[in-house]
Amino acid sequence: MDYLPIFCQLQHKACLLVGGGEVAERKARLLLDAGARLTVNARQFNNQFRVWAEFGRLTLVEGEFYADLLAEKWLVIAATNSVEVNALVYQSANQQRVFCNVVDDPKRASFIMPSIIDRSPIMVAVSSGGKAPVLARLLREKLEAMLPQHLGQLANLAGSLRKRVKQRFANISTRRRFWEKLFVHHRLAQSLANNDTEFVKRHVKQLFGERQEAQGEVVLVGAGPGDAGLLTLKGLQQIQQADVVVYDRLVSDEIMALVRRDAERIFVGKRAGYHCVPQEQINQILLDHAQRGLRVVRLKGGDPFIFGRGGEELETLAEAGIPFSVVPGITAASGCSAYSGIPLTHRDHAQSVRLVTGHAKTDGELDWAQLVTEHQTLVFYMGLNQAPVIQQQLLAHGVEASMPIALIENGTSTRQRVIEGELAQLGALAAQATSPTLIIVGSVVSLRSKLNWFTCRDSPSDLSKMA
């Protein structure tokens, strides 16, 4: 993070603007709108500055800049056409510990002026840290089109109700439910814009009359294989509304950064051969928090119903009468194969695909004879430790030693690595990989040389070394 985003309260606070041209005029408008007590210093001023001064909205100091102008100022903006003057302002401000912005010079800026979407009191700021101001402006324009003009009125209503809500509802969870119902109503914002006070009063009265206490619930959310962009919209909505998020090792840091900031986070990470929290205890954690009336999100890598033990966790909730729902996620087979340029099915290579777990709940054998079928792709989840056995069994059941294989490590992330080879090399190649790694076996792997589109680290096998 190059800059910490903050919103400054400048009402009646002394600020300094150095410059009297068009650029300075734009900055002056922003400072005046924010209620700053503004002093403007320049050798010459545009007419607008003199008009503002005549009406007492700001003070003009004509002449060269001098450091004493910074006395008791909260912040300063340098917007002259002189590099030397701007540099002097910045240096003087630093010496006096006054926040300073130099227009179009991010290296000389202790604060920056972002692009602003104003729905007062709702304010949205977009910044590129001075690196791409045109991009920031384009993003602002998109947000302008998305955000209704009357959002500010909705925020003002919420502000007028805060004290009543705090008195009426005892805890944070019930208050949050009140606010969610208020903000998502399909007619309320428009009624405010239309000055329909009777409807607004009626709806607010109804909300205060409802009991916000509710039985807890659990939402099972698939986080996808790693890339935060693959999280579904519904999954994003759920993690931003959760009271508690229970997550495991396969949920990326980028996705966890999207979780509502004040939600409780409980890590129950698991990796092959080691469970930091046993499955039975995870089930109990979900149950305990839901029984306290909380909204719990169980966030799992990939899809929770594909080798994610989601069914086991929901069985516990169902037996206890806890409401639950499921938000599917992109499973590792789909995400990792797509980001590796390997189609799981193809008319010339495979007409079916089998998803296979590398280890089952018990030590029972897989039906290898059923797995070995022509024109079929095999995808092994959690198969690194069992790779030598997978190689041995597939060869024993008639799969050619030269069958293409791929091991996809940290699939869809910026750390993705793909190791290609042949079935006869699987055990040896698996020793080079780290979990989480997906194993794909099938002739579709040969298409990767044509279809790979995602930049990642490749580790092609060296047949001579394996011989």
Side-chain angles (χ1 to χ4, degrees):
M1 185 185 296
D2 295 330
Y3 293 89
L4 175 68
I6 59 175
F7 290 91
C8 297
Q9 170 56 268
L10 294 180
Q11 285 283 343
H12 310 300
K13 291 184 171 63
C15 298
L16 175 66
L17 172 64
V18 182
E22 292 183 7
V23 175
E25 182 182 322
R26 292 200 298 269
K27 303 303 179 183
R29 292 183 188 277
L30 290 172
L31 292 171
L32 292 174
D33 286 346
R37 186 158 50 85
L38 184 60
T39 298
V40 184
N41 165 236
R43 289 185 293 180
Q44 295 180 334
F45 298 99
N46 281 2
N47 289 335
Q48 181 61 62
F49 283 104
R50 299 196 181 277
V51 171
W52 280 327
E54 288 175 8
F55 282 90
R57 299 193 63 192
L58 49 75
T59 301
L60 299 182
V61 177
E62 192 166 351
E64 299 292 339
F65 167 78
Y66 53 97
D68 287 350
L69 287 172
L70 291 166
E72 299 184 354
K73 299 298 190 294
W74 288 76
L75 59 80
V76 57
I77 297 175
T80 77
N81 56 8
S82 169
V83 175
E84 292 77 13
V85 173
N86 289 344
L88 177 60
V89 174
Y90 177 71
Q91 180 182 5
S92 301
N94 273 353
Q95 291 172 348
Q96 298 192 38
R97 297 183 180 179
V98 177
F99 277 110
C100 178
N101 172 263
V102 178
V103 175
D104 292 333
D105 191 354
K107 292 183 179 179
R108 290 192 178 95
S110 52
F111 80 95
I112 53 179
M113 301 286 283
S115 294
I116 297 171
I117 299 97
D118 187 355
R119 301 289 188 273
S120 293
I122 299 295
M123 300 289 291
V124 181
V126 180
S127 172
S128 65
K131 294 179 175 63
V134 174
L135 177 59
R137 178 178 58 80
L138 291 173
L139 289 174
R140 186 203 71 195
E141 291 173 358
K142 289 185 177 181
L143 291 170
E144 285 277 12
M146 292 170 58
L147 299 177
Q149 292 293 324
H150 46 257
L151 273 182
Q153 292 168 284
L154 192 59
N156 284 327
L157 173 65
S160 69
L161 297 175
R162 287 189 66 181
K163 187 175 181 180
R164 286 178 60 193
V165 171
K166 192 171 183 179
Q167 292 172 342
R168 170 67 176 82
F169 303 109
N171 58 60
I172 293 176
S173 181
T174 54
R175 289 198 289 269
R176 184 181 302 120
R177 290 190 177 100
F178 173 90
W179 292 122
E180 287 172 354
K181 289 181 180 180
L182 180 79
F183 293 136
V184 301
H185 191 279
H186 67 287
R187 284 184 54 197
L188 182 60
Q190 191 60 54
S191 298
L192 286 166
N194 295 339
N195 294 317
D196 188 352
T197 56
E198 288 303 316
F199 176 85
V200 174
K201 289 179 180 178
R202 191 164 58 248
H203 179 61
V204 169
K205 182 179 179 180
Q206 178 182 344
L207 284 179
F208 274 107
E210 293 178 358
R211 287 181 58 84
Q212 300 300 327
E213 291 80 7
Q215 185 179 21
E217 62 175 325
V218 176
V219 185
L220 199 58
V221 175
D227 183 350
L230 298 180
L231 179 68
T232 65
L233 177 59
K234 191 168 185 179
L236 176 62
Q237 292 169 343
Q238 291 298 330
I239 65 176
Q240 291 184 341
Q241 295 175 5
D243 298 313
V244 181
V245 175
V246 181
Y247 66 104
D248 58 42
R249 187 178 68 93
L250 295 180
V251 179
S252 68
D253 292 340
E254 292 79 11
I255 288 177
M256 289 306 299
L258 300 173
V259 171
R260 190 169 61 80
R261 190 168 298 175
D262 57 343
E264 181 182 356
R265 303 178 184 208
I266 301 175
F267 176 66
V268 291
K270 297 186 286 186
R271 64 175 181 266
Y274 173 73
H275 289 188
C276 103
V277 180
Q279 184 62 54
E280 293 74 15
Q281 188 175 341
I282 295 174
N283 298 348
Q284 193 62 44
I285 289 172
L286 300 178
L287 182 59
D288 290 344
H289 284 80
Q291 287 177 333
R292 288 168 47 199
L294 299 175
R295 180 180 293 163
V296 183
V297 165
R298 174 64 169 112
L299 191 57
K300 304 173 76 73
D303 182 277
F305 275 8
I306 299 181
F307 306 128
R309 294 193 174 181
E312 296 177 38
E313 294 174 0
L314 295 188
E315 282 183 302
T316 301
L317 301 172
E319 291 168 1
I322 298 295
F324 60 82
S325 58
V326 181
V327 179
I330 294 177
T331 188
S334 178
C336 295
S337 63
Y339 273 55
S340 302
I342 301 173
L344 294 179
T345 61
H346 188 285
R347 285 193 299 174
D348 298 331
H349 294 266
Q351 285 74 57
S352 63
V353 59
R354 288 274 188 109
L355 309 184
V356 188
T357 178
H359 59 81
K361 187 173 182 180
T362 64
D363 295 329
E365 278 287 320
L366 292 170
D367 189 343
W368 294 100
Q370 287 293 324
L371 294 179
V372 178
T373 303
E374 288 189 1
H375 307 297
Q376 178 171 263
T377 304
L378 297 177
V379 182
F380 290 90
Y381 288 65
M382 301 165 287
L384 273 187
N385 291 339
Q386 295 298 314
V389 175
I390 294 170
Q391 173 186 325
Q392 176 189 359
Q393 291 291 344
L394 292 180
L395 290 173
H397 285 79
V399 180
E400 295 181 0
S402 60
M403 178 65 74
I405 64 166
L407 293 89
I408 306 168
E409 180 184 293
N410 293 312
T412 77
S413 76
T414 55
R415 305 182 309 280
Q416 175 175 297
R417 183 167 71 116
V418 180
I419 305 174
E420 291 186 72
E422 297 179 351
L423 179 58
Q425 304 169 291
L426 177 57
L429 294 178
Q432 304 175 20
T434 59
S435 179
T437 291
L438 197 77
I439 300 172
I440 300 180
V441 180
S443 64
V444 290
V445 175
S446 63
L447 295 169
R448 175 173 153 74
S449 59
K450 294 180 181 178
L451 304 182
N452 179 28
W453 60 272
F454 181 65
T455 302
C456 62
R457 294 175 294 146
D458 294 338
S459 297
S461 63
D462 186 335
L463 296 179
S464 63
K465 292 181 181 179
M466 296 296 173

